[in-house]
Amino acid sequence: MAAQITKDMIIGQILQVDKGVIPILMNSGMHCLGCPSSQMETLGEACMVHGIDADELVGKLNDYLATVSE
């Protein structure tokens, strides 16, 4: 079973799941992935700060993870 991303996960944890999520996050408007504070922020918090729909982004991330685990 593929790893599942939730909006309660810390960005640093998400990056450890699969580095392939980086382009998805960057294309969504999260250009601060290397910032130390982003490593301790939840995906939901980051989405709120950047005005991004967290549920939509979680869906994109999990869709990607489902394709790489097949």
Side-chain angles (χ1 to χ4, degrees):
M1 181 175 162
Q4 289 288 299
I5 303 297
T6 69
K7 58 186 170 187
D8 297 323
M9 290 177 73
I10 303 294
I11 301 251
Q13 292 173 316
I14 294 169
L15 296 177
Q16 290 175 1
V17 169
D18 187 309
K19 298 291 186 203
V21 301
I22 293 172
I24 298 168
L25 294 169
M26 296 283 286
N27 289 335
S28 295
M30 291 189 189
H31 301 152
C32 56
L33 299 177
C35 175
S37 63
S38 75
Q39 299 297 305
M40 298 306 295
E41 189 173 47
T42 68
L43 182 61
E45 291 167 338
C47 285
M48 183 177 61
V49 167
H50 292 288
I52 299 167
D53 182 319
D55 294 320
E56 182 178 326
L57 182 54
V58 165
K60 288 179 183 178
L61 293 169
N62 285 325
D63 287 347
Y64 162 76
L65 292 174
T67 65
V68 295
S69 68
E70 294 177 343

